[in-house]
Each structure stands twice: as structure tokens, then as C-alpha cells.
């Protein structure tokens, strides 16, 4: 105790306390009265650390400030306050860029002459920037981050077209140099080639690509795509968990995992996020050994576990330990009553329709969920339950394939 007392004489030095108090007051005043400028400066101060940017970004949103997405025609290198309630995302915070590349983009954007002003499309962008500074990796990162959305929001098509856009821009430069060499006047302006045709990304894929570029989900949350469905059997969100004797169901996206060696063997701590509040779940050795293959980052898990009060984490905080781990497909199989497919007679005109349905379902047999066909045409309606041999696993790929063939509305999972 005497040793601690001696340390406390300096550990709580009054001059340090006073100095930090002044800094705290200054920053608190700035955050309260000039929040957008203060938070823009705060995020800009550590742009290379995406984990830190994510923390500051979430705090910014909680303070009622809107953060606009990165934009090659609007953003600067740093985060910039647009007004008292709005901040524009900085291009320098996109992974794969850098100050030299961003400065080159800004210079090309404001340069005079016929090519000045906002970029018109991907080909115009590639033509005007210096490819030695702004390389393919930089352009792809900007597309993934949504920095071209104001020009063209079809990110999959833009990403697939980066190669031909850069080749075309290089060809234009060679044509211009050749025209100047032989003094034949300006080279004839060629029309840019067409963008590569590509299927639009799903919401989940777009968010995953965003995370690659920005380090976190910016325009949404992957769990929101399944939130309504999961809510049919998971009654409480993670922020509403309360201690109870009985096991409780919870669901969320796996955002982080860490392991630890204990006297009982290896255990894991899995962080789930459902868009309300992240919750860490302890997975002890016995469960971890049985369910290890299901724990994958950026995948949805449904966990049945024990919720107890956490006296060390603060008021209202809980501790969760997993008793059972399920993938979303397994949870569907456990709680679904049936998979109902509606056929309207149009599909059945194709004589191979029955074979196609059998092939699609057969790839996900055996499973737990019964399949029911609701058929109608201009003359009759009927419903047919397929046998137990055609029970399926309700994987995302199966639901997507059936939705592409029939329609999203014709594929329905009915829960108990």
C-alpha cells in the first residue's frame, strides 16, 4: 500500500490533470458547437487506420451528422465539412489510394481547357488522370468504395471495364502524340468503347466490396438483408438481451473472432453484430470443437446460448456463452414449416421444367425442410407436397437459383 501511495503522488500529478482538463474542455466545446468540422478533422487525423476511422464514423453518425460517400467529383483528400450537419468522405481514406494519387485526381478535376470540370464517365476519368499516379488498383478501389456512383452506380460493370478503359485512354494518348509528331493537327476523336456487360452486385456483395475498400460497411449492413426473416424465429435483437435461466436465441453477422487457451482447452470469443449493438459470445472448447467450421467472418450465425449479467463490463451489460451454433441455413431448416414454390403455368409450358426443378432441389438434398408446390394455370389450381426424400437444405444459393428461375415472390419460406 505504501508503494501505491508513493506512486499516486505522481500518478495523479495536478499539473497533468489541469492540462488534460483544458484539452478536454476545448475539444468537448468544439464537438458540441462545431460537430461536423470537429469530426471531419478527427477522422482525417488517422485516415490510414480504418479501425479508428470506423469508430469515429460511428460516433459521427450517433451525433446526428450525415457522412456523404466518397465521390471522385466532390471529395477532397481529407474529410471535409459540407455544412453544420454534413461531412464528405475523403478519398484518402479509401484503401489503395494515397496522397499523390488523390492530388493527381483533384488536379485533373480542376484543370482548365476542354477537359476541365467534373469527370463525365470512367473513360473520361482514365483519359485525364496520370496513370503513373492513378493505377488500376486505385481506380478499382474507388469503384468498390462507391466513388463513381454519382456518375454510374453499376459498380460491377465499372469494375469489369477498368482494363478496357485504361487501354483506351493509353491509345488516345498515343494517337495524340503521333498527331503532334507529324504535325497533322488534332487526332480524330474516337468514341469510347462500351462498358463491359456484367450482372449487378447483390446488396450483400456490394457491402463486402465496400468493406475491402473502406474497412467497414458504409452504405448499409449485410444483416439487414435477412433481418426480417431472422426475426421470425429470433425474437430479440442483441441490444435487448437480458439475463435469464433459459437458453436464448440470438443472431448476427460475425465481425471478429479471437481464441484463447484455457485449462479446459482452446476457446473462442465471437463478436456478433445485427446492426443494433455488437455482442461478444464465448464459445467453450466442447462447442468450439463441434462447430468450428461454421464460424466464418462476414457470415450470419444463429446462436442458442446462456445470457447472464456481466458485473465487470458495466451496468446493463451481459455475458453470453454459446451452447449451440447454427448457420442461417440450419436455422431455417430447424424453424421452417415448409418451402413453398408458386408456379403459374408459364414455367410448365417448358417440358423440361419438372426436370429443372428436380435438378435444382436435388443439389440440396438431403435436408430438413419439406417442399410444397402451389400450381395454377388458366384452368385449375392444386398444391402438391413432395416426399421426405426431397427435403432440402435452405441454403442461400438454392433460394437465389429458384428466385432467378421463378421470381423472388414465388419462393417463400413459411415458418412455424
Amino acid at each position: 500500500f505504501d508503494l501505491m501511495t508513493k506512486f499516486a503522488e505522481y500518478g495523479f500529478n495536478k499539473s497533468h490533470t489541469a492540462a488534460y482538463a483544458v484539452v478536454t474542455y476545448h475539444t468537448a466545446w468544439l464537438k458540441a458547437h462545431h460537430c461536423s468540422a470537429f469530426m471531419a478533422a478527427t477522422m482525417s487525423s488517422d485516415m490510414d487506420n480504418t479501425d479508428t476511422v470506423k469508430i469515429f464514423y460511428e460516433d459521427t453518425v450517433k451525433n446526428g451528422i450525415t457522412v456523404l460517400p466518397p465521390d471522385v467529383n466532390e471529395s477532397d483528400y481529407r474529410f471535409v465539412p459540407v455544412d453544420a450537419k454534413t461531412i464528405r468522405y475523403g478519398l484518402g481514406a479509401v484503401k489503395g489510394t494515397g496522397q499523390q494519387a488523390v492530388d493527381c485526381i483533384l488536379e485533373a478535376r480542376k484543370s482548365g481547357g476542354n477537359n476541365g470540370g467534373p469527370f463525365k464517365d470512367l473513360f473520361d476519368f482514365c483519359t485525364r488522370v496520370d496513370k503513373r499516379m492513378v493505377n488500376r488498383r486505385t481506380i478499382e478501389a474507388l469503384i468498390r468504395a462507391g466513388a463513381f456512383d454519382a456518375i454510374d452506380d453499376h459498380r460491377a460493370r465499372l469494375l469489369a471495364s477498368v482494363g478496357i478503359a485504361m487501354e483506351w485512354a493509353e491509345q488516345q494518348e498515343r494517337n495524340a502524340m503521333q498527331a503532334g509528331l507529324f504535325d497533322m493537327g488534332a487526332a480524330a476523336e474516337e468514341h469510347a468503347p462500351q462498358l463491359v456487360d456484367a450482372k449487378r452486385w447483390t446488396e450483400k456483395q456490394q457491402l463486402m466490396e465496400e468493406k475491402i475498400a473502406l474497412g467497414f460497411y458504409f452504405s448499409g449492413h449485410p444483416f439487414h438483408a435477412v433481418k426480417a426473416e431472422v426475426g421470425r424465429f429470433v425474437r430479440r435483437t442483441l441490444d435487448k438481451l437480458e439475463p435469464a435461466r433459459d437458453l436464448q436465441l440470438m443472431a448476427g453477422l460475425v465481425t471478429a473472432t479471437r481464441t484463447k487457451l484455457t485449462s479446459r482447452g482452446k476457446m473462442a470469443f465471437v463478436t456478433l453484430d445485427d446492426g443494433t449493438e455488437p455482442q461478444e459470445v464465448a464459445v467453450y472448447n466442447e462447442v468450439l470443437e463441434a462447430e468450428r467450421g461454421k464460424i466464418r467472418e462476414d457470415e450470419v450465425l444463429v446462436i442458442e446460448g446462456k445470457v447472464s449479467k456481466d458485473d465487470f463490463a458495466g451496468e446493463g451489460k451481459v455475458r453470453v456463452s454459446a451452447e449451440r451454433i447454427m448457420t442461417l441455413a440450419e436455422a431455417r431448416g430447424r424453424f421452417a414449416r415448409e418451402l413453398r414454390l408458386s408456379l403459374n403455368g408459364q414455367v410448365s409450358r417448358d417440358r423440361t421444367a419438372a426436370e429443372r426443378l428436380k435438378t435444382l432441389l436435388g443439389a440440396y438434398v438431403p435436408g430438413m425442410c419439406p417442399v410444397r408446390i402451389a400450381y395454377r394455370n388458366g384452368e385449375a389450381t392444386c398444391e402438391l407436397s413432395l416426399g421426405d426424400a426431397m427435403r432440402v437444405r435452405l441454403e442461400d444459393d438454392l433460394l437465389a437459383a429458384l428466385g432467378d428461375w421463378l421470381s423472388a415472390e414465388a419462393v417463400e419460406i413459411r415458418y412455424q
Side-chain angles (χ1 to χ4, degrees):
F1 184 83
D2 291 339
L3 184 63
M4 287 190 293
T5 304
K6 184 68 177 176
F7 167 76
E9 292 175 5
Y10 181 78
F12 298 94
N13 185 279
K14 291 181 181 179
S15 64
H16 283 205
T17 303
Y20 282 123
V22 172
V23 174
T24 301
Y25 177 82
H26 286 168
T27 54
W29 188 89
L30 288 169
K31 187 174 181 181
H33 296 284
H34 303 279
C35 191
S36 65
F38 177 78
M39 294 309 300
T42 303
M43 287 188 284
S44 298
S45 68
D46 205 3
M47 287 195 302
D48 294 334
N49 189 336
T50 54
D51 290 339
T52 305
V53 171
K54 179 177 183 290
I55 294 170
F56 291 151
Y57 166 76
E58 290 172 347
D59 187 37
T60 301
V61 174
K62 286 179 181 177
N63 279 275
I65 303 297
T66 300
V67 181
L68 300 175
D71 189 328
V72 292
N73 280 329
E74 298 291 341
S75 294
D76 288 344
Y77 175 71
R78 293 179 174 80
F79 293 82
V80 174
V82 177
D83 54 43
K85 289 292 183 179
T86 313
I87 295 172
R88 173 66 72 176
Y89 207 97
L91 295 180
V94 178
K95 291 182 179 180
T97 59
Q99 184 148 11
Q100 285 187 325
V102 175
D103 287 345
C104 176
I105 293 170
L106 299 181
E107 182 61 31
R109 192 172 76 196
K110 72 178 182 181
S111 60
N114 295 330
N115 290 330
F119 301 108
K120 300 176 181 63
D121 53 36
L122 178 63
F123 296 100
D124 181 43
F125 179 89
C126 290
T127 302
R128 291 164 58 184
V129 299
D130 186 342
K131 265 71 71 184
R132 294 170 299 178
M133 299 291 183
V134 185
N135 57 27
R136 180 168 184 159
R137 179 170 174 261
T138 300
I139 298 172
E140 289 177 345
L142 291 170
I143 293 171
R144 287 189 173 97
F148 282 87
D149 280 7
I151 300 172
D152 185 347
D153 65 356
H154 196 327
R155 299 185 193 178
R157 181 171 63 189
L158 289 179
L159 194 65
S161 303
V162 172
I164 63 169
M166 295 190 74
E167 290 176 7
W168 184 79
E170 290 168 1
Q171 182 61 47
Q172 292 295 99
E173 289 179 5
R174 287 194 293 268
N175 290 347
M177 290 176 63
Q178 189 173 24
L181 178 64
F182 293 103
D183 196 25
M184 297 172 63
E189 185 177 348
E190 299 179 22
H191 290 290
Q194 295 294 314
L195 293 169
V196 175
D197 189 25
K199 185 178 180 180
R200 277 186 178 271
W201 288 336
T202 62
E203 181 183 4
K204 179 181 178 181
Q205 185 178 359
Q206 179 162 309
L207 289 170
M208 294 300 177
E209 298 288 348
E210 257 180 31
K211 187 178 180 182
I212 293 173
L214 300 177
F216 61 97
Y217 308 116
F218 179 80
S219 62
H221 196 288
F223 188 78
H224 292 164
V226 298
K227 183 177 180 179
E229 179 187 359
V230 171
R232 302 287 296 277
F233 49 88
V234 177
R235 304 302 182 187
R236 287 188 174 183
T237 54
L238 294 176
D239 63 330
K240 301 297 183 185
L241 291 177
E242 295 180 353
R245 291 184 179 180
D246 298 331
L247 297 179
Q248 298 185 47
L249 278 175
M250 61 206 76
L253 194 79
V254 177
T255 58
T257 59
R258 60 187 178 91
T259 58
K260 179 182 179 181
L261 284 174
T262 69
S263 58
R264 296 169 55 186
K266 182 180 286 188
M267 68 175 295
F269 294 93
V270 179
T271 302
L272 296 182
D273 187 359
D274 65 354
T276 60
E277 180 178 303
Q279 175 64 53
E280 191 171 72
V281 179
V283 184
Y284 290 98
N285 181 259
E286 298 81 0
V287 179
L288 181 61
E289 288 299 319
E291 313 283 17
R292 185 191 303 272
K294 300 175 185 178
I295 303 173
R296 294 182 296 173
E297 197 164 321
D298 297 322
E299 293 294 330
V300 174
L301 286 184
V302 179
I303 291 179
E304 193 171 27
K306 181 75 173 178
V307 181
S308 57
K309 185 178 179 181
D310 191 340
D311 295 323
F312 300 99
E315 187 176 352
K317 298 297 183 180
V318 296
R319 179 188 294 118
V320 180
S321 59
E323 296 289 331
R324 183 180 180 184
I325 297 176
M326 294 174 279
T327 63
L328 181 56
E330 289 174 334
R332 287 172 178 147
R334 176 179 172 182
F335 298 106
R337 186 173 80 245
E338 64 183 19
L339 172 63
R340 190 173 190 272
L341 305 177
S342 300
L343 280 68
N344 60 11
Q346 298 297 320
V347 171
S348 64
R349 291 178 183 178
D350 181 357
R351 294 179 181 272
T352 63
E355 284 298 322
R356 183 173 183 182
L357 179 60
K358 182 179 179 181
T359 301
L360 285 172
L361 297 178
Y364 298 90
V365 170
M368 297 176 61
C369 185
V371 179
R372 188 174 184 85
I373 307 296
Y375 176 83
R376 65 178 175 83
N377 60 21
E379 300 174 355
T381 62
C382 72
E383 294 204 5
L384 172 68
S385 294
L386 303 187
D388 288 345
M390 289 302 294
R391 286 175 176 252
V392 295
R393 303 185 304 276
L394 297 176
E395 303 279 358
D396 288 341
D397 291 344
L398 170 62
L399 301 177
L402 289 170
D404 288 342
W405 179 42
L406 303 173
S407 71
E409 296 75 20
V411 182
E412 178 188 5
I413 301 174
R414 293 190 167 183
Y415 288 95
Q416 299 171 5

